[in-house]
C-alpha cells in the first residue's frame, strides 16, 4: 500500500544531517528548526502564519480554540472522515452537528450544510469544518458563500491536503484557519506525530501560539487554559527537508492518478456516473480543485470481496473509512442513527483505496489494475 523506505533512501544523508543539527543545538522543543520550518511552510502555502504543533488532531483543536469556538457553540462537519474531525470539536467544548457528503468527492456537501442552517438547532452554529478528504478541497466557493450569508467561521481540516488548491489558492489559506497533519503516511510527513495550524489572521496566530504552550504569553504567567501541543525540533528539521520535495512528490501523485485512469479505461472496467453498477467507479478531480491524491479511492459494490482478492494477490488496499462517524460507538451521545446520512453510509460500504505514493512504479500500477480486471471478469 505504501513503501516509505523508497522516500527515505534518497534523502537519508540530508535527513541525518538535519537531525544532527538539532542534537548539536539541543533545541528539542520548538526552537530554531521549528521556527524556520514554520516560515518556510507559510511561504509554501501562501499564508501569513503557520504554527507547528504536535499532531493533526491537536491542530484541529488549536484552530477551533484559537478561533474562539468553544462551549455553547455548534460546528457543522462531515460524518465521513477520520474520527479527529469530530473529536476535536468536542475537545474544544463545542457541539458537532453532522451533514451528509457529496457522493462524487466524498466531501461535506454545501447543500446539506445549508439545510442544517435553515432549520437552526438549539445551539447556535458558529463554524463549519469541511475536510479536504483524500487530498481534494471541499467546494470552497459554496462554503465561502455560506460563511458570508450566515456569518460563520470556516476551519479547514487539511490533514490530507498539503498542496491541494481551490481556484488556484492553496488549502490552509482558504478559511479562517487550516489544520494539517504530518502523520508519517501523509503527503508531507514527519518521522512521528506532528501537525500545524495555518491562518492569515494575526490574532488567531497569536492565540494559537499562546494556547500550544499552556496559555502562556510570559513564562509561568497563564492567560488562557491552553495545552501542551508543541512541535519538537526533530520533526521540524525532518519536515523542513521534505518541504523542498513536496511539490514534486505531489506532481508524481497526479501523474500516477492519471495513469490509473488510463489503465482502468483501457481495460473497460471503469463505469461512468457517481455509483458503480457491476464494475468500479473511479475518483474524479472536480472543476476548481487541484487534487493532490493523498488517496486514490475507487467505489465497488463488491468492495469487501475485491479487497480480499487483492490481499490474496499481496496487493495492499485500505478502507477509509468503514464506519461513518455518526455510527461510531464513542459518538452515540450525538444522537444520530443509521440512515441519517445515506451518502456517507453508502460510501463507507463501497470505498477502497488503492496504492498511491510518489515512488509507485508503472509496472506495480499495472499489476493492481490487472488484478481488479481479473476479479471483475
Ligand atoms: C482528515 C483527518 N483529520 C485529522 C487527522 C488527525 O491527524 P493526526 O493523526 O496527525 O492527529 C487525520 C490523520 O490521521 C486525518 O486524516
Amino acid at each position: 500500500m505504501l513503501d516509505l523506505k523508497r522516500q527515505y533512501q534518497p534523502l537519508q544523508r540530508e535527513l541525518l544531517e538535519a537531525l544532527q543539527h538539532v542534537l548539536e543545538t539541543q533545541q528539542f522543543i520548538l526552537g530554531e528548526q521549528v521556527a524556520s520550518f514554520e516560515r518556510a511552510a507559510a511561504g509554501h502555502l501562501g499564508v501569513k502564519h503557520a504554527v507547528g504543533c504536535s499532531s493533526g488532531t491537536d491542530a484541529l483543536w488549536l484552530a477551533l480554540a484559537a478561533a474562539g469556538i468553544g462551549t455553547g457553540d455548534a460546528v457543522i462537519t462531515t460524518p465521513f472522515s477520520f474520527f479527529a474531525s469530530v473529536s476535536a470539536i468536542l475537545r474544544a467544548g463545542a457541539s458537532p452537528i453532522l451533514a451528509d457528503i457529496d457522493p462524487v468527492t466524498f466531501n461535506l456537501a454545501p447543500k446539506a450544510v445549508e439545510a442544517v442552517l435553515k432549520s437552526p438547532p438549539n445551539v447556535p452554529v458558529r463554524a463549519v469544518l469541511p475536510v479536504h478528504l483524500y487530498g481534494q478541497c471541499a467546494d470552497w466557493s459554496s462554503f465561502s458563500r455560506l460563511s458570508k450569508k450566515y456569518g460563520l467561521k470556516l476551519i479547514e481540516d487539511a490533514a490530507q491536503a498539503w498542496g491541494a488548491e481551490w481556484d488556484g489558492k492553496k488549502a490552509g489559506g482558504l478559511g479562517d484557519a487550516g489544520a494539517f497533519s504530518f502523520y508519517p503516511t501523509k503527503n508531507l510527513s514527519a518521522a512521528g506525530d506532528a501537525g500545524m495550524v495555518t491562518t492569515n489572521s494575526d490574532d488567531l496566530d497569536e492565540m494559537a501560539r499562546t494556547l500550544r504552550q499552556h496559555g502562556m504569553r510570559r513564562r509561568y504567567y497563564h492567560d488562557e487554559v491552553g495545552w501542551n501541543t508543541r512541535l519538537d525540533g526533530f520533526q521540524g528539521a525532518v519536515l523542513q527537508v521534505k518541504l523542498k520535495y513536496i511539490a514534486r512528490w505531489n506532481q508524481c501523485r497526479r501523474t500516477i492518478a492519471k495513469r490509473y485512469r488510463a489503465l482502468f479505461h483501457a481495460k473497460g472496467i471503469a463505469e461512468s456516473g457517481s455509483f458503480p453498477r457491476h464494475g468500479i467507479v473511479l475518483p474524479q478531480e472536480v472543476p476548481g480543485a487541484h487534487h493532490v491524491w493523498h488517496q486514490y479511492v475507487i467505489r465497488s459494490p463488491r468492495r469487501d470481496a475485491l479487497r480480499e482478492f487483492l490481499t490474496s494477490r499481496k496487493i495492499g488496499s485500505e478502507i477509509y473509512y468503514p464506519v461513518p462517524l455518526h455510527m461510531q460507538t464513542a459518538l452515540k451521545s450525538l444522537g444520530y442513527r443509521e440512515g441519517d446520512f445515506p451518502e456517507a453510509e453508502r460510501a463507507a460500504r463501497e470505498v477502497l483505496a488503492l496504492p498511491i505514493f510518489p515512488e509507485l512504479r508503472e509496472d506495480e500500477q499495472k499489476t493492481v489494475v490487472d488484478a481488479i480486471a481479473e476479479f471483475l471478469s
Side-chain angles (χ1 to χ4, degrees):
M1 185 64 183
L2 173 62
D3 184 356
L4 283 170
K5 281 190 188 148
R6 291 189 207 176
Q7 185 192 72
Y8 172 61
Q9 273 147 5
L11 296 186
Q12 189 180 33
R13 250 189 62 188
E14 221 179 330
L15 287 169
L16 292 178
E17 277 170 17
L19 293 175
Q20 193 173 350
H21 180 70
V22 177
L23 284 169
E24 279 161 8
T25 59
Q26 296 279 300
Q27 293 197 1
F28 297 122
I29 305 229
L30 298 176
E32 173 212 316
Q33 288 304 304
V34 169
S36 74
F37 168 60
E38 288 177 339
R39 282 192 297 275
H44 188 272
L45 295 175
V47 292
K48 207 163 165 196
H49 306 287
V51 184
C53 64
S54 46
S55 70
T57 305
D58 274 347
L60 279 170
W61 164 75
L62 205 50
L64 288 160
I69 289 158
T71 312
D73 301 329
V75 179
I76 303 177
T77 193
T78 165
F80 195 60
S81 180
F82 179 61
F83 184 68
S85 307
V86 167
S87 66
I89 297 172
L90 290 166
R91 168 85 176 73
S95 310
I97 297 181
L98 304 179
D100 213 351
I101 58 165
D102 170 79
V104 173
T105 62
F106 305 101
N107 279 327
L108 184 63
K111 267 192 191 156
V113 170
E114 186 150 33
V116 173
L117 292 166
K118 278 184 172 157
S119 54
N122 300 336
V123 189
V125 177
R126 290 273 317 283
V128 183
L129 192 153
V131 179
H132 305 318
L133 201 69
Y134 304 148
Q136 173 157 246
C137 287
D139 173 357
W140 217 261
S141 314
S142 301
F143 285 119
S144 299
R145 222 175 298 125
L146 288 181
S147 136
K148 285 193 193 96
K149 186 168 166 189
Y150 294 90
L152 303 168
K153 294 223 153 110
L154 294 178
I155 310 292
E156 300 169 64
D157 182 338
Q160 303 186 359
W162 187 279
E165 293 172 18
W166 185 265
D167 279 347
K169 205 167 167 190
K170 284 211 166 65
L174 297 169
D176 293 276
F180 288 93
S181 163
F182 302 123
Y183 184 78
T185 59
K186 296 294 193 265
N187 289 28
L188 177 61
S189 62
D193 272 317
M196 174 168 273
V197 174
T198 53
T199 183
N200 286 309
S201 153
D202 296 345
D203 291 345
L204 207 147
D205 168 64
E206 196 276 334
M207 189 55 116
R209 285 178 194 282
T210 304
L211 290 172
R212 79 174 165 179
Q213 290 228 71
H214 284 297
M216 287 189 284
R217 290 191 173 85
R218 195 153 52 114
R219 212 163 166 73
Y220 304 127
Y221 289 78
H222 302 266
D223 303 327
E224 318 282 341
V225 179
W227 206 247
N228 169 9
T229 176
R230 300 173 295 230
L231 182 60
D232 76 69
F234 286 125
Q235 302 309 338
V238 166
L239 286 162
Q240 182 141 16
V241 169
K242 291 194 182 182
L243 190 64
K244 288 192 266 177
Y245 303 97
I246 184 62
R248 199 175 83 206
W249 290 336
N250 278 345
Q251 193 48 47
C252 291
R253 286 175 183 269
R254 288 178 61 79
T255 304
I256 290 166
K258 202 167 156 194
R259 195 184 293 135
Y260 262 136
R261 178 162 280 273
L263 290 169
F264 279 120
H265 277 294
K267 290 273 176 199
I269 52 176
E271 294 178 347
S272 57
S274 309
F275 303 107
R277 292 173 298 279
H278 312 288
I280 56 166
V281 164
L282 303 180
Q284 284 183 41
E285 182 179 52
V286 297
H290 175 86
H291 204 318
V292 290
W293 300 99
H294 173 57
Q295 298 297 343
Y296 191 89
V297 177
I298 62 169
R299 275 185 186 262
S300 159
R302 291 192 289 147
R303 189 266 315 275
D304 292 338
L306 172 57
R307 184 165 194 223
E308 252 174 55
F309 183 82
L310 293 177
T311 306
S312 75
R313 296 294 169 94
K314 296 195 161 43
I315 295 172
S317 64
E318 192 50 87
I319 300 168
Y320 305 107
Y321 296 92
V323 182
L325 297 175
H326 65 291
M327 288 162 66
Q328 293 286 354
T329 309
L331 298 175
K332 265 193 188 140
S333 61
L334 297 184
Y336 293 110
R337 274 190 255 120
E338 188 169 354
D340 283 348
F341 305 108
E343 295 299 353
E345 290 168 29
R346 180 163 186 174
R349 288 193 300 272
E350 293 184 345
V351 292
L352 189 64
L354 303 180
I356 189 163
F357 54 95
E359 302 80 10
L360 185 69
R361 299 190 312 265
E362 186 168 351
D363 62 297
E364 293 171 317
Q365 280 193 272
K366 282 188 179 146
T367 305
V368 175
V369 174
D370 286 349
I372 294 174
E374 191 185 332
F375 171 79
L376 291 173
S377 69

